[in-house]
Amino acid sequence: MFITDAVGAAADPIADTPERQALREAVRAIVRDVAPPERRLPLDTAEQFDDELHAHLAKLGATSIGAHPEQGGEGNALDQLVVLEELAAGPTSMAVFMVVHYMGIEILSAHGSREQRDTWLAPLSAGDATMSFCLTEAGGGTDIARAMRTTARCDGGGWVIDGEKTWISGATRSDVYVVLARSADVAGSAIDGITMFLVPADTPGITVRELPTVAVHGFDTCQVTFDGVRVADDAVVGEVGRGFRQVLSVLNRERVNAAAGAIGAGRAAVEYAAAYAAERPAFGSTVGSFQAVQHRLVDAMVALEGARGLLARAAHAEVAGGRADILSSMAKLAASEAAVKATTTGMEILGGAGFSLEYPMQQWWRDVRLWVFAPLNNDMVRNHIAEQGFGLPRSF
Ligand SMILES: Cc1cc2nc3c(=O)[nH]c(=O)nc-3n(C[C@H](O)[C@H](O)[C@H](O)COP(=O)(O)OP(=O)(O)OC[C@H]3O[C@@H](n4cnc5c(N)ncnc54)[C@H](O)[C@@H]3O)c2cc1C
């Protein structure tokens, strides 16, 4: 029996209703049946997106959680967390896909026009389309507003976008891109003058190059170039010049969702390592009989459960319409660092088996590192908590 089973579903602050517990069981069953290690690990090695798993998630309704009700959405932040935890406990790349997907769902639900929602949110919500979120550039990730070189020029009845985005998830297979571009220079404000556009992926002038990465191999990471890309006025999402502020309004959700991914993968790593240790013979007993091994497993699980408590508080605050930014930041920080430690513990306990691509540990260990610096690096997250939580002077 694992700690999470021993504690019991009734004490779960995230899957806190019978409906969410049923959702968790449904996603867990899909992962077990469609993406067991013997299927998902070869896909990861081959760097292939799991279309079959995606289709099952769409059929379950997981892709529509959080979408505007007019486009078939239901559920809230807590439902998204349930899905993400369970996916990250198996095919982590699909959890990364869903974090990006939910970001698109949130942006279009909150800021898209009725026409944009009908054209793009409805198929995204149904799982019939996918999107990429194009913000980061080579010149700056954390300080992207100041560094942004991608421009949008108003050109009589439309816009022309020029520039290059990097580290863009899913761009080789997305149907539509949400693109942030500088449309005006505003004195004294780096974040104003940036506009958000919806750009169909087949618009002339777009080229995509896949980037080799160390992890998240089941979901591509790309450079996307925009060379004189023309879009109509109705491609603008929300207000001209306020695109970056619109993104900031959905950042809480991206942070808690990243935290859920980290916790799911970390939990899976600890449970896998505990089960492995219980069976692995050593010195007339098992590896799991040694106190040093037991303590590392317990410390890892306590750190994850602590982060999960923060995560639940952050999500409940958001759902209740209260202030969630500090709690969301704390949850993302605690969860990503706990997941790195938990998966490192997992690798150590598996010994040589940890190095094998035929065991799942290495995938969790590689993939969770993303959430230490994305969507926002943990040093910057600490800066935000110091400023907003303690009222200390801005340090950057
Ligand atoms: C696999 C993957 C998928 C991604 N998907 C997307 C996507 O879909 N869309 C998208 O737009 N972007 C995406 N990104 C980009 C991601 O959001 C950035 O990598 C992230 O924001 C960090 O930016 P950076 O890599 O430029 O790091 P930098 O900004 O160069 O920061 C490097 C380090 O410097 C330190 N640092 C920076 N600023 C400060 C500060 N103020 N105080 C203290 N320390 C600081 C931190 O330690 C930080 O980790 C993805 C990245 C990867 C690797």
Side-chain angles (χ1 to χ4, degrees), residues 218-235:
F219 188 37
D220 54 300
T221 310
C222 307
Q223 187 180 59
V224 186
T225 307
F226 299 86
D227 183 8
V229 173
R230 288 186 170 273
V231 289
D233 274 337
D234 61 10

Side-chain angles (χ1 to χ4, degrees), residues 10 63 76 91 98 101 111 130 138 184 208 225 256 270 272 313 319 328 331-332 345 350 391:
T63 47
N76 62 25
M98 289 299 282
H101 175 80
H111 301 291
T130 58
V208 178
T225 307
V256 291
V270 176
Y272 192 95
R313 274 188 74 187
V319 170
S328 302
K332 189 275 195 186
T345 293
L350 260 67

Side-chain angles (χ1 to χ4, degrees), residues 133 135-136 141-142 167 169 221 370 373 375 377 379-380 383 396:
F133 177 67
L135 174 63
T136 305
T142 310
W167 309 125
S169 297
T221 310
L370 173 67
F373 64 86
N377 82 71
D379 293 322
M380 193 64 178
N383 294 342
F396 55 94

Side-chain angles (χ1 to χ4, degrees), residues 14 81 85 251-264 303-318 324-340 368 371-372 374-378 381-382 384-385:
I14 292 176
L81 298 187
E85 272 194 327
L251 275 190
N252 272 342
R253 184 64 65 83
E254 207 187 9
R255 268 174 225 177
V256 291
N257 283 350
I263 288 169
L304 288 165
E305 285 293 343
R308 197 162 184 268
L310 275 171
L311 175 59
R313 274 188 74 187
H316 282 284
E318 192 195 309
D325 62 317
I326 298 174
L327 284 167
S328 302
S329 297
M330 288 169 125
K332 189 275 195 186
L333 177 64
S336 56
E337 296 190 352
V340 167
V368 295
W371 288 308
V372 170
L376 187 65
N377 82 71
N378 280 356
V381 171
R382 285 185 169 87
H384 178 79
I385 297 168

